[in-house]
Amino acid sequence: MISEKSYVLGTKKSTIRTIFEFGRKRAAEVGEENVFDFSIGNPNVPAPEKVKEAIIDILNEVDSVALHGYTVAPGDPQVRETIARSINRRFGTSFTGKNLFMTAGAAAAITICFKALTEDDVHNEFITFAPYFPEYKCFVEAMGSELKVVPANTADFQIQFDKFKEMLTPDTKAVIVNSPNNPSGVVYSEDTIKKLAEILSEKEKEFGHPIFIISDEPYRELVYGGITVPYIPKYYKNTLVCYSWSKSLSLPGERIGYIVVPDEVADFERVYGGIAGAARVLTHVNASSLFQRVVARCVDEPSNIAAYERNGNLLYNGLVEAGFTCQKPQGAFYLFPKALEDDDYAFCERAKKYDLLLVPGSDFGCPGYFRAAYCIKQETIEKSIPAFKKLAAEYGK
Amino acid sequence: MISEKSYVLGTKKSTIRTIFEFGRKRAAEVGEENVFDFSIGNPNVPAPEKVKEAIIDILNEVDSVALHGYTVAPGDPQVRETIARSINRRFGTSFTGKNLFMTAGAAAAITICFKALTEDDVHNEFITFAPYFPEYKCFVEAMGSELKVVPANTADFQIQFDKFKEMLTPDTKAVIVNSPNNPSGVVYSEDTIKKLAEILSEKEKEFGHPIFIISDEPYRELVYGGITVPYIPKYYKNTLVCYSWSKSLSLPGERIGYIVVPDEVADFERVYGGIAGAARVLTHVNASSLFQRVVARCVDEPSNIAAYERNGNLLYNGLVEAGFTCQKPQGAFYLFPKALEDDDYAFCERAKKYDLLLVPGSDFGCPGYFRAAYCIKQETIEKSIPAFKKLAAEYGK
């Protein structure tokens, strides 16, 4: 009577959900302030004041029927033009509004791309790199395609190119890149992107058809210590950029983002048309007409990254002091340290004794590690360090 | 390289789009005020002032992180509770928040239902009644199912039950009901709903499995002349109600609506779980967190139907005077008169000579008729009547 797949996807408790519920229970027992919940990757800094101002200004300036009416499916033309110009200023590109398709956040953006690139009645493959955001698998499979995962390069969380090369086949439609990365907190270097582009260009020639990069970059603005995130369309022409303001403007619940389709992609008209059709049947009729206008007005508003950067460094230093090995925080709001035993589930279970709520790396396709999200109160991080030290001491650190 | 189906769906010009473009061209030639565009079904009354007030109050009262953060996938619990209570007050039901699933409008709501009810690896059928909203076909087919259409009952635009009965098979998963109807403007009577419920109950017994009614009711509040729209869950237990505030609060661009899953449906837990899973893979992560709160605050706000009612009567009287036959306006903001020749495309083409922009009934599965949307300026309707008369005169009326 009901799709079994949908039922399982709608009811199976994720690890993060189970941890969350444990955290609620413990908070009731020992007090909220004594539970160190590093499990949830949700912005904890408020949206910039400018967002509120923009909403109020728009309500006062724009006629209600125009403001709350449907926009054309790709999004309000003026909004798209404004965003294109902002991208151009920052990355030296030359997009116009017609290169943008507004979406309900990055999740919708990437899934629209998966749907558009999934050819009818053939086997389609997408590739991503561990550690990776586990929803990719649900989204790709729901569109009728297969997701292949390149094992993690745990030396520095860049890419294992030898393994990657072996996985590319004539059925490969696209490669999903997520940098700054959830969960590793690492940014792919310019060398990594160049190498990736080189391999894909070779394989495109070999297979005689395009292989797209889908660049899922909701964390693009959240980078620390002067790191630069290479803008992939400048390195590889068949790139679709999927962006969201969920993290940069702390608006995850408002679902607002976009897809960039550069003029340079193979057969722009077919790709953009396919995206429009995919959005239509996934019933993403148009992205919120109010929030399209809001982000256009806030397009050059800087993200409030100071709090994240302070938290990231604080947690990193504490973990290293406690004896953990971990990449320095580069971007997003995650650290991905090595667990202190091979079995990351057992490790995270043991961490609960100290009310440390951590997510096993296996959930992201990378066993032996764990994710700690540091988009939480600074005091929580400060208070958690002694708990991490006690946990490490159990392992003789 | 690109899904052919997605490409076609994203690029094929709809009849309405073609008419719209003709209208823009004519407006440039003869002036906006001399083009009588009845093609677009888009609210032309502003959102109630209360919507703006609610947005500003919420911005001032609710903490930014909570306000713009993710809600749980089914929607904010307090919002759902508030809406459930409002439905209960109006329809004598006893829903709670757990019966609601907030969605990005009615299009998302119905497609989530189609996806949830499309069982894996079998043939699935959905049935609807002509005249019908043509997107149903795209949405149902994109989820992998077949849409069957019961021919129109042009006597009164209720249901042809004999034809309907023949179409029900063991593969029937659900029946889509849209009342007040786009495009006919007719409301299904209590007798119609009772008869529908009776037939479906019999067939459920015969086939040994539930057959759902998916009640797509974005026009529920737009009814005239004291007509009552029967609330289908009171007549048939396996009903999923799909609602949107697009029309009632003039918020189509903000994409906000819900699905009601009554406790009484067969296996509530599986149905609600399937809906959650379907929403997840269609990447409807959560309905706009701001607009969830806005509609909760405006839940008992009356729709501004006076202008639509005036327009509907004006157009109806004018058309009848000109010699057209047509059902009286009952609901939504459409009239669906008989064309003055069998070929409705030819008729609508001829209407263009008088700058009357009408949509052929064939687009809604009902040849020989045409749709006129009266959610436009009153002056436009007034000025259009002589044009309709001239058109009718061509046919000897």
Side-chain angles (χ1 to χ4, degrees):
Chain A
M1 170 183 95
I2 283 283
S3 156
E4 183 64 24
K5 283 181 196 161
S6 289
Y7 174 67
V8 170
L9 286 168
T11 50
K12 205 185 145 199
K13 261 189 209 168
S14 68
T15 314
I16 293 178
R17 181 81 208 168
T18 311
I19 295 170
F20 174 78
E21 286 172 9
F22 172 83
R24 301 306 312 155
K25 200 181 115 248
R26 283 298 290 161
E29 291 164 11
V30 300
E32 191 106 37
E33 69 286 4
N34 296 311
V35 179
F36 312 119
D37 189 350
F38 292 94
S39 70
I40 306 287
N42 207 353
N44 73 317
V45 306
E49 194 55 27
K50 172 107 199 231
V51 166
K52 182 175 167 182
E53 288 165 22
I55 295 173
I56 293 172
D57 289 350
I58 291 165
L59 286 173
N60 288 327
E61 291 165 21
V62 184
D63 163 70
S64 167
V65 170
L67 170 55
H68 300 300
Y70 295 107
T71 67
V72 291
D76 181 82
Q78 223 176 312
V79 165
R80 286 184 284 144
E81 208 57 47
T82 303
I83 295 167
R85 282 199 299 267
S86 163
I87 300 172
N88 295 342
R89 280 193 298 277
R90 296 179 54 198
F91 303 114
T93 46
S94 35
F95 300 133
T96 67
K98 76 171 202 321
N99 299 108
L100 271 87
F101 194 99
M102 302 300 294
T103 63
I110 59 174
T111 307
I112 288 167
C113 292
F114 299 157
K115 175 82 180 159
L117 295 175
T118 294
E119 280 185 275
D120 315 316
D121 310 317
V122 298
H123 180 69
N124 298 277
E125 294 175 354
F126 292 76
I127 300 179
T128 196
F129 307 97
Y132 72 102
F133 180 51
E135 289 292 278
Y136 289 164
K137 195 172 150 69
C138 306
F139 297 162
V140 166
E141 289 179 356
M143 299 308 120
S145 290
E146 184 190 348
L147 181 71
K148 293 163 88 175
V149 180
V150 180
N153 169 1
T154 53
D156 56 6
F157 291 98
Q158 300 289 320
I159 290 175
Q160 283 212 45
F161 283 110
D162 48 343
K163 295 269 170 59
F164 170 57
K165 266 192 204 168
E166 288 165 19
M167 279 192 191
L168 287 157
T169 77
D171 292 346
T172 308
K173 292 294 156 10
V175 173
I176 311 159
V177 170
N178 174 224
S179 168
N181 183 264
N182 173 13
S184 78
V186 160
V187 172
Y188 289 157
S189 68
E190 190 178 29
D191 277 357
T192 293
I193 300 301
K194 280 184 174 165
K195 180 86 183 156
L196 182 64
E198 191 188 305
I199 292 170
L200 287 175
S201 300
E202 272 168 30
K203 289 289 178 180
E204 283 190 330
K205 258 183 232 153
E206 186 185 329
F207 300 145
H209 65 71
I211 305 171
F212 286 87
I213 289 179
I214 297 172
S215 179
D216 177 23
E217 43 189 70
Y219 297 101
R220 191 177 62 208
E221 276 70 34
L222 275 49
V223 285
Y224 317 112
I227 274 192
T228 303
V229 183
Y231 195 66
I232 304 182
K234 300 184 74 174
Y235 298 86
Y236 186 69
K237 75 186 186 70
N238 284 323
T239 299
L240 304 173
V241 178
C242 296
Y243 184 74
S244 162
W245 281 273
S246 291
K247 275 71 183 185
S248 55
L249 293 181
S250 294
L251 296 174
E254 308 302 352
R255 316 303 309 136
I256 184 76
Y258 62 73
I259 304 167
V260 171
V261 185
D263 285 334
E264 292 73 21
V265 299
D267 207 342
F268 171 86
E269 196 260 338
R270 278 191 77 80
V271 176
Y272 198 90
I275 283 171
R280 178 175 171 193
V281 295
L282 297 174
T283 49
H284 290 291
V285 174
N286 62 233
S288 161
S289 47
L290 172 62
F291 279 94
Q292 287 188 41
R293 288 174 172 87
V294 171
V295 295
R297 291 199 187 201
C298 297
V299 78
D300 293 322
E301 189 65 18
S303 300
N304 182 359
I305 59 170
Y308 295 137
E309 181 158 30
R310 200 171 45 234
N311 279 358
N313 288 328
L314 202 60
L315 182 60
Y316 173 77
N317 292 331
L319 285 171
V320 169
E321 224 181 275
F324 287 85
T325 44
C326 178
Q327 297 293 315
K328 274 195 180 170
Q330 296 181 7
F333 34 52
Y334 308 105
L335 287 181
F336 200 64
K338 199 164 169 23
L340 298 178
E341 60 182 299
D342 288 347
D343 182 341
D344 49 317
Y345 286 108
F347 173 78
C348 292
E349 207 44 49
R350 198 184 281 213
K352 283 188 189 169
K353 278 205 307 191
Y354 304 97
D355 291 311
L356 289 165
L357 309 188
L358 311 169
V359 186
S362 295
D363 267 35
F364 306 97
C366 187
Y369 289 77
F370 67 92
R371 187 184 82 169
Y374 55 76
C375 44
I376 56 176
K377 281 190 204 149
Q378 189 180 332
E379 306 88 270
T380 306
I381 296 178
E382 284 162 358
K383 284 188 70 176
S384 75
I385 305 298
F388 276 112
K389 286 185 179 164
K390 278 185 225 158
L391 173 62
E394 282 205 31
Y395 292 94
K397 294 276 176 181
Chain B
M1 172 182 96
I2 283 283
S3 156
E4 182 65 25
K5 284 182 197 162
S6 289
Y7 173 68
V8 170
L9 285 168
T11 51
K12 204 185 146 198
K13 259 188 213 171
S14 67
T15 314
I16 294 178
R17 180 82 207 166
T18 310
I19 294 169
F20 174 78
E21 286 172 8
F22 173 82
R24 300 307 311 156
K25 199 180 117 251
R26 284 299 289 161
E29 289 164 14
V30 301
E32 192 107 34
E33 69 286 3
N34 296 310
V35 178
F36 312 119
D37 188 351
F38 292 93
S39 70
I40 306 286
N42 208 352
N44 74 318
V45 305
E49 194 56 25
K50 171 106 200 236
V51 166
K52 182 176 166 180
E53 288 165 21
I55 295 173
I56 293 173
D57 289 348
I58 291 165
L59 287 172
N60 287 327
E61 291 164 23
V62 185
D63 163 70
S64 167
V65 170
L67 171 55
H68 300 301
Y70 295 108
T71 67
V72 291
D76 181 81
Q78 223 176 312
V79 165
R80 286 185 283 144
E81 208 56 49
T82 303
I83 295 167
R85 281 197 300 266
S86 164
I87 299 172
N88 295 343
R89 279 194 298 277
R90 295 178 57 197
F91 303 114
T93 45
S94 35
F95 300 133
T96 67
K98 74 172 205 320
N99 298 107
L100 272 87
F101 194 99
M102 302 299 295
T103 63
I110 57 174
T111 308
I112 288 168
C113 293
F114 300 158
K115 175 83 181 161
L117 295 176
T118 294
E119 281 186 275
D120 316 317
D121 310 317
V122 299
H123 180 69
N124 298 277
E125 294 175 353
F126 292 77
I127 299 179
T128 198
F129 308 96
Y132 72 103
F133 179 50
E135 289 292 276
Y136 289 164
K137 196 171 149 68
C138 306
F139 297 161
V140 166
E141 289 179 356
M143 299 308 121
S145 290
E146 183 190 348
L147 182 72
K148 292 162 90 176
V149 180
V150 180
N153 169 0
T154 53
D156 55 6
F157 290 100
Q158 301 288 320
I159 290 176
Q160 283 212 45
F161 285 110
D162 48 342
K163 294 270 169 59
F164 170 57
K165 267 192 204 167
E166 288 165 19
M167 278 193 192
L168 287 158
T169 78
D171 293 346
T172 308
K173 292 296 159 3
V175 173
I176 311 160
V177 170
N178 174 223
S179 168
N181 184 264
N182 172 14
S184 79
V186 161
V187 173
Y188 288 157
S189 67
E190 190 178 29
D191 278 355
T192 293
I193 300 302
K194 279 183 175 165
K195 180 86 183 151
L196 182 64
E198 190 188 307
I199 293 170
L200 287 176
S201 300
E202 273 168 28
K203 289 288 178 182
E204 283 190 330
K205 257 183 232 152
E206 185 185 331
F207 301 147
H209 65 72
I211 304 171
F212 287 87
I213 289 180
I214 297 171
S215 179
D216 177 24
E217 42 189 70
Y219 297 100
R220 191 177 60 207
E221 275 70 35
L222 275 50
V223 286
Y224 317 112
I227 274 194
T228 303
V229 183
Y231 195 66
I232 304 181
K234 299 182 75 175
Y235 299 86
Y236 187 68
K237 73 185 187 73
N238 284 323
T239 299
L240 304 173
V241 178
C242 295
Y243 184 74
S244 163
W245 282 272
S246 290
K247 276 69 183 186
S248 56
L249 293 181
S250 294
L251 295 175
E254 310 301 353
R255 315 306 307 136
I256 184 78
Y258 62 73
I259 304 168
V260 170
V261 185
D263 285 335
E264 292 74 21
V265 300
D267 207 341
F268 172 87
E269 196 261 337
R270 278 190 77 79
V271 176
Y272 197 89
I275 283 171
R280 179 176 170 191
V281 296
L282 297 173
T283 51
H284 289 291
V285 175
N286 63 236
S288 162
S289 47
L290 171 62
F291 278 93
Q292 286 188 42
R293 288 175 173 86
V294 170
V295 294
R297 292 200 186 200
C298 297
V299 78
D300 293 321
E301 190 64 16
S303 300
N304 182 357
I305 59 169
Y308 296 137
E309 181 157 31
R310 200 170 48 235
N311 279 357
N313 288 329
L314 202 60
L315 182 60
Y316 173 77
N317 293 331
L319 285 171
V320 169
E321 222 181 276
F324 287 86
T325 43
C326 179
Q327 298 293 316
K328 274 198 178 167
Q330 297 181 6
F333 34 52
Y334 309 104
L335 288 181
F336 199 64
K338 199 163 168 27
L340 297 178
E341 60 183 299
D342 289 347
D343 182 342
D344 50 317
Y345 285 108
F347 173 78
C348 292
E349 206 45 47
R350 199 185 280 214
K352 282 187 187 169
K353 277 205 307 191
Y354 304 97
D355 290 312
L356 289 165
L357 309 188
L358 310 169
V359 186
S362 295
D363 267 35
F364 306 97
C366 187
Y369 288 76
F370 66 93
R371 188 185 81 170
Y374 54 77
C375 43
I376 57 176
K377 282 191 206 149
Q378 189 180 333
E379 305 90 90
T380 306
I381 296 178
E382 283 162 357
K383 285 188 69 175
S384 75
I385 305 297
F388 275 112
K389 287 185 178 164
K390 279 184 222 157
L391 173 62
E394 281 206 30
Y395 291 94
K397 295 275 174 182

